[in-house]
Amino acid sequence: MTRRRPDATVQGVVGEAAFLLTSPRRFLMEIALPPVGHGVVEHSKALIDPVTRFRNTSAYIFLVAFGDDEERRRVVRFVNRAHAPVRSDGYNAFDPKLQLWIAAVMFHGGRDVYERFFGRLDRAEAERLYREFAVYGTSLQVPEEMWPADLDAFDAYWHSVVDDLEIDETIRSYARALLSGGDLPIVVRPAMALNRFFTLGMLDPRIREAYRFTWTEAHQRWFDRLMRIAVPAYRALPAAARHLPKRLVLRDARKRFAAVPAHVAAG
């Protein structure tokens, strides 16, 4: 039986386990922009407390996509409070240009994951998905008019940033530590080698090169072979299994944010 592919919407893309599992790829792409990378190196606890970082980021992603108005307001206020002290030389977490890049990474990664696992989007589907993903910028400090007008404008923006990326050793060292597992429990470390391989295989080749990660033709052949196995295996899973991580993350996020008093959430 042929399974119907998920809707090409923010909820349809974000709700897939494949989207969540590619979080390390999105993180590497975000910090490839030097001001973002240095801000993360100086302020983020992703290496020393990756679980909390994952919970907080996932709460924002999933509540913006699936939450009601009050849940979205609460998680946006939480993010804004967390961003308030994050300032350094050349980096301000409230800078709309940097938030635009992070939202752009969300769309770029989301579309890429969807198309790898469920097939190419036609132009109308891709444009609709693109417009929906703007919410990850406009929910924060990105003015609607700053979000590129259509896919052509987005592609021009994307290439203008990626073509000029210059990643220094500080960010490279942080990325290597991230891919090694940081302070994750030692029992999880063996899985990090496979995670690292898939993360590097899914990176934009220009970003991978800017990081100076080793990636040979043999690596690419192995990656392509594994994807030929992974894609049909993933698509064969029932929707309930593919959406289980979404349900668990939403349950955790809703429990946490429902417990925050309204006057604190208003911050």
Side-chain angles (χ1 to χ4, degrees), residues 102-122:
I102 291 171
V105 167
M106 288 278 292
F107 167 70
H108 184 276
R111 176 177 62 174
D112 180 60
V113 168
Y114 186 96
E115 291 189 331
R116 284 180 189 269
F117 284 90
F118 299 106
R120 296 283 295 179
L121 297 169
D122 64 33

Side-chain angles (χ1 to χ4, degrees), residues 243-263:
H243 298 166
L244 178 60
K246 173 197 75 177
R247 292 198 298 273
L248 295 176
V249 170
L250 275 172
R251 182 189 303 168
D252 174 65
R254 283 174 167 148
K255 182 178 179 180
R256 292 168 61 205
F257 284 91
V260 177
H263 70 279

Side-chain angles (χ1 to χ4, degrees), residues 130-152:
Y130 170 67
R131 289 193 297 272
E132 289 191 16
F133 262 87
V135 70
Y136 287 109
T138 56
S139 289
L140 299 175
Q141 280 75 46
V142 178
E144 289 186 12
E145 62 272 16
M146 184 180 283
W147 188 248
D150 54 26
L151 275 177
D152 289 335

Side-chain angles (χ1 to χ4, degrees), residues 116-259:
R116 284 180 189 269
F117 284 90
F118 299 106
R120 296 283 295 179
L121 297 169
D122 64 33
R123 180 71 183 203
E125 291 174 321
E127 287 282 4
R128 183 173 62 250
L129 182 64
Y130 170 67
R131 289 193 297 272
E132 289 191 16
F133 262 87
V135 70
Y136 287 109
T138 56
S139 289
L140 299 175
Q141 280 75 46
V142 178
E144 289 186 12
E145 62 272 16
M146 184 180 283
W147 188 248
D150 54 26
L151 275 177
D152 289 335
F154 174 82
D155 288 340
Y157 162 76
W158 182 263
H159 293 305
S160 72
V161 175
V162 174
D163 287 344
D164 291 336
L165 284 176
E166 294 183 4
I167 302 174
D168 62 29
E169 190 55 34
T170 297
I171 299 172
R172 290 194 191 101
S173 295
Y174 188 91
R176 288 193 294 268
L178 179 76
L179 290 178
S180 73
D183 285 344
L184 283 172
I186 194 166
V187 295
V188 181
R189 299 287 180 84
M192 291 306 297
L194 183 60
N195 177 273
R196 182 182 191 277
F197 182 74
F198 273 105
T199 297
L200 296 186
M202 295 187 77
L203 272 179
D204 184 310
R206 294 167 297 175
I207 295 178
R208 191 169 59 219
E209 183 177 345
Y211 272 114
R212 298 181 187 171
F213 287 127
T214 299
W215 191 259
T216 65
E217 291 182 4
H219 285 123
Q220 188 63 48
R221 286 195 298 272
W222 274 108
F223 176 77
D224 292 340
R225 289 169 187 160
L226 287 172
M227 289 298 288
R228 284 196 291 271
I229 297 170
V231 168
Y234 180 83
R235 292 181 64 164
L237 292 172
R242 300 198 324 264
H243 298 166
L244 178 60
K246 173 197 75 177
R247 292 198 298 273
L248 295 176
V249 170
L250 275 172
R251 182 189 303 168
D252 174 65
R254 283 174 167 148
K255 182 178 179 180
R256 292 168 61 205
F257 284 91

